[in-house]
């Protein structure tokens, strides 16, 4: 067993996880972080279960090879399609002391508290919607809550192509938010269950009823990590504290640096990784 300290790994298929990393670093600035975006193979949202699992496991192994003991899948699609297998099948074989956490459980644990009508809308990628993960997880914590899901397959491509602020994006924002609200007029809380979607927040607000609570995951996931590290001092003790973040991408570093600033809120300098 490797007892050296390592960075906390934060993973996404592309840039979306940076919206989560930003909040994590805000709440836990003292730690060392490595962010990996699998941009060369993104988006994951339209890919099969097997493919997302295979890609995610490869990336998790990369983090472990860099010495990380704790990896956060800051991607709903990877959390929905790969996390359970990795936790139950792979970790016992790789190293039982390693930890991989996702974003669906911490979000599901808290989301029911936001809704008065107990009708919650979930906007997510095709992959996350088809997995039914939010319906299953929210039911565990809030059996009284009804969950309505809407897949938004065009949103990640719009965001990744930096088209999310332009007029053309309105068509698909209106299309998917209307489709969600058609499922129940009682929806009073809408979860942005894809780490890319906070970038579309302004437009999503315009097309949802004015008093709808729109919930992004960054703060929720970050607070849950704070709590996790307090409850697991043995894992916290293995995490480096150098107040430092490094960025890695499986695609062009130039493209990554250009786009990442939009998601992370400050300029970054990435390094290329071949998996
Ligand atoms: N950001 C990812 C998520 O939270 C999805 C992006 C993708 O489709 O690759 O689901």
């Amino acid at each position: 067993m490797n007892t050296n300290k390592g960075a906390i790994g934060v993973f996404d298929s592309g840039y979306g996880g940076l919206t989560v990393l930003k909040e994590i670093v805000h709440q836990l600035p003292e730690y060392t972080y490595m962010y990996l975006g699998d941009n060369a193979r993104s988006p994951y949202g339209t890919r099969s279960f097997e493919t997302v699992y295979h890609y995610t496991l490869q990336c998790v192994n990369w983090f472990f090879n860099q010495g990380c003991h704790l990896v956060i899948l800051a991607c709903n699609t990877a959390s929905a399609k790969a996390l359970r297998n990795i936790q139950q099948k792979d970790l016992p074989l790789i190293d039982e002391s390693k930890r991989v956490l996702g974003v669906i459980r911490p979000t599901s644990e808290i989301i029911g508290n936001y809704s008065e009508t107990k009708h919650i809308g979930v906007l997510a990628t095709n992959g996350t919607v088809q997995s039914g993960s939010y319906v299953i997880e929210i039911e565990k914590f809030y059996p009284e809550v009804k969950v309505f899901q809407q897949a938004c397959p065009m949103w990640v491509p719009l965001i990744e192509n930096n088209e999310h602020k332009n007029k053309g994006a309105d068509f698909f924002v209106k299309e998917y938010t209307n489709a969600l609200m058609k499922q129940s007029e009682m929806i009073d809380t809408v979860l942005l269950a894809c780490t890319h979607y906070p970038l579309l927040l302004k437009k999503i607000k315009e097309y949802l009823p004015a008093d709808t609570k729109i919930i992004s995951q960054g703060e929720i996931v970050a607070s849950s990590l704070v709590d996790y590290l307090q409850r697991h001092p043995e894992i916290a003790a293995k995490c480096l504290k150098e107040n430092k973040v490094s960025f890695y991408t499986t695609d062009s570093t130039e493209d990554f640096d250009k786009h990442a600033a939009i998601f992370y809120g400050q300029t970054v300098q990435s390094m290329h990784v071949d998996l």
Side-chain angles (χ1 to χ4, degrees):
M1 192 181 76
N2 180 2
T3 49
N4 293 334
K5 290 190 182 199
I8 297 176
V10 179
F11 169 71
D12 183 49
S13 58
Y15 304 108
L18 291 166
T19 63
V20 175
L21 177 68
K22 189 164 80 177
E23 291 299 334
I24 293 179
V25 173
H26 180 69
Q27 293 195 29
L28 291 163
E30 66 275 29
Y31 284 95
T32 307
Y33 299 94
M34 291 177 105
Y35 180 88
L36 173 64
D38 191 7
N39 300 82
R41 303 185 293 194
S42 133
Y44 279 14
T46 43
R47 299 193 190 275
S48 70
F49 182 95
E50 288 71 23
T51 302
V52 172
Y53 166 53
H54 172 68
Y55 287 175
T56 306
L57 180 59
Q58 242 184 344
C59 294
V60 164
N61 272 322
W62 177 83
F63 280 114
F64 290 163
N65 290 335
Q66 308 307 306
C68 299
H69 297 278
L70 173 63
V71 177
I72 317 291
L73 304 184
C75 173
N76 288 273
T77 313
S79 299
K81 292 187 164 191
L83 182 62
R84 184 183 295 257
N85 263 356
I86 292 176
Q87 285 176 333
Q88 295 181 355
K89 270 179 39 197
D90 300 299
L91 284 187
L93 299 173
I94 300 169
D95 183 343
E96 267 178 322
S97 70
K98 305 272 188 196
R99 293 290 178 272
V100 181
L101 307 175
V103 289
I104 295 179
R105 195 183 166 100
T107 309
S108 301
E109 267 174 20
I110 202 163
I111 193 73
N113 296 341
Y114 291 96
S115 172
E116 273 150 39
T117 60
K118 302 300 169 200
H119 282 220
I120 292 179
V122 171
L123 297 169
T125 63
N126 263 330
T128 301
V129 167
Q130 276 164 20
S131 75
S133 298
Y134 274 104
V135 178
I136 297 164
E137 286 297 318
I138 294 174
E139 149 103 77
K140 283 186 198 157
F141 299 103
Y142 304 96
E144 72 284 13
V145 163
K146 284 205 165 73
V147 178
F148 302 87
Q149 304 189 93
Q150 177 61 44
C152 313
M154 288 305 290
W155 286 5
V156 168
L158 279 170
I159 295 165
E160 298 243 318
N161 288 294
N162 209 4
E163 290 288 338
H164 53 285
K165 286 193 181 146
N166 296 341
K167 203 71 204 134
D170 285 65
F171 177 84
F172 285 109
V173 173
K174 188 174 173 197
E175 175 107 342
Y176 300 145
T177 48
N178 280 354
L180 176 70
M181 294 311 292
K182 260 197 205 138
Q183 296 182 47
S184 164
E185 282 179 359
M186 282 172 69
I187 293 172
D188 68 346
T189 303
V190 170
L191 171 65
L192 305 185
C194 170
T195 53
H196 281 67
Y197 296 175
L199 274 88
L200 271 175
L201 182 61
K202 203 160 163 261
K203 284 198 194 289
I204 294 171
K205 253 189 200 152
E206 274 173 42
Y207 289 102
L208 283 173
D211 49 355
T212 313
K213 286 177 214 146
I214 306 171
I215 312 296
S216 304
Q217 295 175 294
E219 270 178 52
I220 296 175
V221 174
S223 304
S224 143
L225 181 60
V226 171
D227 178 57
Y228 178 86
L229 291 171
Q230 273 165 4
R231 284 185 294 109
H232 297 276
E234 75 289 359
I235 303 289
K238 289 188 205 166
C239 298
L240 277 170
K241 286 187 169 174
E242 301 165 320
N243 201 336
K244 198 175 119 191
V245 189
S246 37
F247 299 87
Y248 300 84
T249 175
T250 54
D251 206 353
S252 137
T253 54
E254 231 174 86
D255 283 351
F256 186 91
D257 297 353
K258 212 162 42 186
H259 282 85
I262 304 166
F263 290 77
Y264 194 58
Q266 64 189 73
T267 51
V268 311
Q269 256 198 327
S270 60
M271 283 164 272
H272 177 80
V273 164
D274 273 320
L275 291 175

